[in-house]
Amino acid sequence: MNTTVIALGLTINYINAAMIHTFHKHDILKRNPRYILFIHLVLNDLLLLTTSITLFIFIFTLNTVYVPICLVFLLPTTLTSLNSPLNLAFMAAECYISVCVPLRYENICTVKRTYIVIGIIWALSSLTILPDLFILLATEPPQFFNSRVFCEKDKVFGSSLSIKKRDATNILFLVVVWITLFYTYFRILFVAKAAASNAKKARNTILIHGFQLLLCMMIYVQPLLIQVFTYLFPGAPIFYVAFIIFQILPRFLSPIIYGLRDKTFRKYFIRTVVCTITIKIHPNKRMMLE
């Protein structure tokens, strides 16, 4: 299981790193809000995979780790998990503006405002997870931080207050993001039908985006689903299967849905990858390629 998870994680992170390199190499991509949001999602996924796979290895090899070490990896994993659905919601809003109000797109979706949106995403996620940390520091004795624990969110942040707060926050995020998804994409679908152009492609895109967002948002109900399936299928590797479905699969789909399916980004991505491979194989061709 560890080998499979590490292999998948390294493969996806390699693709994500190549896309980040492509983005930073071309100014035309850095000036487009759509690609800025996309590359933020990719960077967020890269960090999420790195920390979550480390936690996965800790759980299945060491079983327990010291609380401070657990928090170093658990906090960014939780934070980036919350970032993904929010980022997708803003990407849906950007897509809605570009299709439904194209004349105001350049005034609404600027590079500066896009980075402000990214700051809002991190702020909202931080405000969600930081209270759990403060509750932990206030309720647990000092000896707890010198002990070893099973490094899982519900085991570390096990206070009833933290659980109730987390459930309420997850429900709020779930409702807001899904309302955003349904409103924006159904509006896009109606506009595509009214224009009688690319209606089928728009419909397929909506279905793919919705499925990918659904997988990302399953993180909100992951603890409950793990408990249910553990009860229904005792002895089955539920945690391993849940990790693959809820953590790795959405990160695998993101580069395909938002990167390779986009003609502009795909063109620059292929060009960058081909040039990089050529330079590595034939270093003396570097000047000619440049």
Side-chain angles (χ1 to χ4, degrees), residues 18 20 27 53 106 112 114 117 128 184 206 230 232 242 254 270 274 282:
I20 293 171
D27 290 336
I53 288 175
E106 292 186 358
K112 181 179 179 180
T114 304
V117 163
T128 301
T184 55
I206 292 169
T230 300
L232 294 175
S254 290
I270 293 175
V274 170
H282 303 288

Side-chain angles (χ1 to χ4, degrees), residues 196-210:
S197 62
N198 297 326
K200 184 177 180 180
K201 181 179 179 181
R203 191 181 304 113
N204 293 337
T205 301
I206 292 169
L207 292 175
I208 294 173
H209 287 15

Side-chain angles (χ1 to χ4, degrees), residues 59-75:
I59 290 173
F60 279 93
T61 56
L62 302 178
N63 192 25
T64 60
V65 295
Y66 287 104
V67 173
I69 297 176
C70 175
L71 291 175
V72 168
F73 294 97
L74 185 59
L75 289 176

